[in-house]
């Protein structure tokens, strides 16, 4: 397909997260992060959401220093091979690279008065390297991690005290990198708090006297306030700053045309949009009043919170998109897995190797719906295919499946742009192989760059260009004309 819908300033690139790619979990003065203690579990032994840990596991794992069972401690050794990785991104022609700063690299326990200079220097070097190749950094301040010590001390975002600690961290990185970074996202996928409060906010729900949903929404509120305060700070420091609020977009279809199924889909969508509704519109949406009442949730919201939420709203809406979901009033039908939450099975969609539905048209639908709702520029900051790759003897991977997946999604973005939707950019998820967030595997690979390592950390960690690497390079070169 020839397509020239993409604007000339379209930000093409890739995305990673510190906790999944960096490794070096105890180097350069870094403290333990909440994700450093999430263990690898073989597929056959997995129960529930593998990244959500219990209080008992927390007590056990937070004391161990071993590497084999904790893949996120190793990552893809990006910390050690950062310059080579950036050179590969540049070779693909990236205009933007989405990365996250590891909060515990800057404040090892979150409560220090002064930041860790070695941690700051690592990101200085990374930004300098990106700038050298004219690649814009797009920085997530907290991609599913925080200093583990804050879980111990405050039960993570359950406590209002964490707002001030996050702001201390945000101030340090905004001041330090103000001349180097224009695009920021304070929190990755704000709605993760509902799936796993530990992943989204370092919260062990069992530790709280409140009921589960009450803790999750309280922690979400504190994060939303922290986000607004961070935006205020960023706007004071960086004149042309671009601030995004991000969700994992769970585009939800009704399973049938039955009105009750349609209503269920509307309600599930509202709960997904709740986070961007607050972040973009600056106030709690009215549909939440009934929801909170029915769920017996009373939140600690001060007048000052309400004020800052209304004053500091996002410049653009960032989101990840992997798949669409199905909703039904009676959810007893067949299920399939998915990003953050399982879904009922949509008979019209093929599934990935990890049973995630593949729905490129859903991306066009969601782009249109989100633009209708917010009238703000949209940034697709994650999309990609997790698959098993085989490294050939010639040192490449013939990943036609990944090219096909990416191509059809880009075609639908082009269609959405033709529909009139403002799309700022596209950062392909896991552009270099990294540890899967949900399953902690290395073998669920998303990258255009292959990293020679297995689930147990065996391997040379050498980098190899996959077929998709060359394909994406030419997509960027032609600004999406050669799809
Ligand atoms: C997103 C997360 O929701 O999904 C990423 O922001 C994650 O951190 C991605 O890696 C894909 O999920 P998974 O479980 O396949 O790694």
């Amino acid at each position: 397909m020839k397509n020239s819908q993409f604007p000339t300033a379209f930000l093409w690139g890739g995305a990673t997260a510190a906790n999944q790619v960096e490794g070096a979990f105890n180097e350069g003065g870094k403290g333990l992060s909440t994700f450093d203690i999430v263990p690898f579990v073989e597929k056959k032994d997995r129960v529930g959401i593998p990244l959500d840990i219990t209080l008992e596991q927390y007590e056990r794992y937070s004391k161990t220093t071993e590497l084999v069972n904790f893949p996120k401690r190793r990552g893809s050794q990006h910390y050690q091979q950062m310059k080579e990785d950036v050179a590969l991104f540049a070779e693909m022609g990236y205009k933007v690279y989405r990365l996250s700063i590891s909060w515990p690299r800057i404040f090892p326990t979150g409560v220090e008065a002064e930041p860790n200079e070695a941690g700051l220097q690592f990101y200085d070097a990374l930004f300098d390297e990106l700038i050298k190749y004219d690649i814009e950094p797009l920085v997530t301040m907290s991609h599913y991690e925080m200093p583990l010590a804050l879980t111990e001390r405050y039960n993570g975002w359950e406590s209002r005290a964490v707002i001030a600690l996050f702001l201390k961290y945000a101030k340090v990185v905004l001041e330090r990198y103000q001349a180097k970074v224009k695009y920021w996202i304070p929190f990755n996928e704000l709605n993760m708090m509902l799936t796993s409060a530990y992943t989204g906010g370092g919260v062990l729900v069992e530790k709280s006297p409140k009921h589960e949903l009450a803790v999750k929404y309280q922690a979400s509120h504190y994060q939303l306030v922290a986000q607004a305060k961070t935006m205020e700070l960023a706007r004071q420091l960086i004149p042309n700053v671009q601030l995004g609020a991000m969700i994992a977009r769970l585009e939800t279809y009704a399973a049938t045309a039955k009105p009750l199924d349609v209503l269920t889909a509307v309600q599930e969508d509202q709960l997904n949009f709740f986070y961007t509704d607050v972040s973009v519109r600056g106030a709690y949406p009215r549909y939440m009043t009934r929801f909170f009442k029915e769920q017996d949730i009373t939140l600690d919201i001060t007048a000052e919170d309400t004020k800052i939420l209304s004053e500091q709203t996002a410049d653009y809406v960032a989101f990840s998109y992997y798949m669409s979901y199905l909703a039904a009033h009676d959810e007893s039908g067949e299920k399939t897995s998915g990003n953050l939450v399982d879904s009922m099975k949509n008979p019209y969609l093929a599934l990935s190797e990890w049973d995630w539905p593949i729905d490129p048209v859903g991306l066009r639908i969601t782009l249109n719906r989100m633009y209708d709702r917010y009238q703000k520029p949209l940034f697709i900051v994650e999309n990609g295919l997790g698959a098993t790759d085989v490294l050939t003897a010639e040192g490449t991977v013939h990943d036609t499946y990944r090219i096909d997946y990416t191509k059809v999604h880009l075609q639908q973005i082009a269609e959405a742009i033709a529909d009139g939707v403002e799309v700022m950019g596209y950062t392909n998820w896991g552009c270099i192989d990294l540890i899967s967030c949900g399953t902690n595997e290395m073998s669920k690979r998303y990258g255009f760059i292959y990293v020679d390592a297995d689930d147990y950390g065996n391997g040379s960690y050498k980098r190899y260009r996959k077929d998709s690497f060359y394909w994406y390079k030419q997509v960027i070169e032609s600004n999406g004309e050669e799809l």
Side-chain angles (χ1 to χ4, degrees), residues 17 20 98 143-144 188-189 246 248 320 322 339-340 356 382 429 434-439 444 446:
Q20 292 168 261
R98 175 176 176 231
H143 188 125
Y144 290 166
N188 183 60
E189 299 182 338
M246 180 185 173
S320 61
Y322 292 91
N339 189 27
L340 308 203
W356 291 17
E382 282 186 37
W429 175 250
L434 40 67
I435 307 297
S436 152
C437 168
T439 64
K444 185 180 186 188
Y446 284 85

Side-chain angles (χ1 to χ4, degrees), residues 249-315:
R249 176 64 188 130
L250 314 178
E251 177 64 44
T252 305
Y253 306 150
T256 73
K258 280 187 220 157
L260 277 181
D261 286 351
V262 178
L263 180 65
T264 306
V266 167
Q267 288 170 334
E268 288 194 6
D269 243 7
Q270 284 178 330
L271 294 182
N272 184 218
F273 277 135
F274 158 68
Y275 293 90
T276 33
D277 281 355
V278 176
S279 310
V280 176
R281 294 168 164 171
Y284 270 57
R286 292 170 68 111
Y287 55 79
M288 290 310 275
T289 309
R290 176 174 187 170
F291 177 82
F292 287 151
K293 198 164 164 220
E294 287 177 357
Q295 299 296 330
D296 188 25
I297 296 171
T298 311
L299 296 180
D300 161 35
I301 302 180
T302 65
E304 196 210 333
D305 294 349
T306 308
K307 186 166 177 287
I308 192 86
L309 288 175
S310 72
E311 287 170 356
Q312 300 295 332
T313 56
D315 298 315

Side-chain angles (χ1 to χ4, degrees), residues 27-29 79 105-106 115-123:
E27 287 177 42
Y79 185 80
R105 236 183 236 300
I106 309 302
N116 171 32
E117 180 58 28
L120 289 168
Q121 282 174 11
F122 170 70
Y123 297 104

Side-chain angles (χ1 to χ4, degrees), residues 158-225:
E158 187 186 1
S159 168
R160 185 178 274 280
V162 174
I163 299 178
L165 296 170
F166 182 80
L167 280 180
K168 178 179 63 168
Y169 157 64
K171 186 164 187 282
V172 165
V173 294
L174 285 166
E175 278 175 353
R176 177 85 169 213
Y177 307 125
Q178 55 182 301
K180 298 179 183 177
V181 183
K182 174 176 159 194
Y183 297 93
W184 296 87
I185 297 174
F187 294 98
N188 183 60
E189 299 182 338
L190 289 154
N191 55 312
M192 177 46 130
M193 194 74 81
L194 296 182
T195 307
S196 161
Y198 181 74
T199 303
V203 178
L204 293 159
V205 280
E206 296 157 272
K207 256 179 127 177
S208 171
K210 297 196 185 97
H211 72 79
E212 185 173 340
L213 267 187
V215 195
K216 287 178 167 179
Y217 278 102
Q218 187 61 67
S220 297
H221 174 72
Y222 293 147
Q223 254 185 15
L224 286 163
V225 171

Side-chain angles (χ1 to χ4, degrees), residues 387-408:
T388 307
D389 288 337
V390 179
L391 185 67
T392 66
E394 298 75 45
T396 188
V397 174
H398 300 308
D399 56 344
T400 334
Y401 38 90
R402 185 168 292 108
I403 295 175
D404 292 346
Y405 177 99
T406 315
K407 184 188 290 182
V408 288

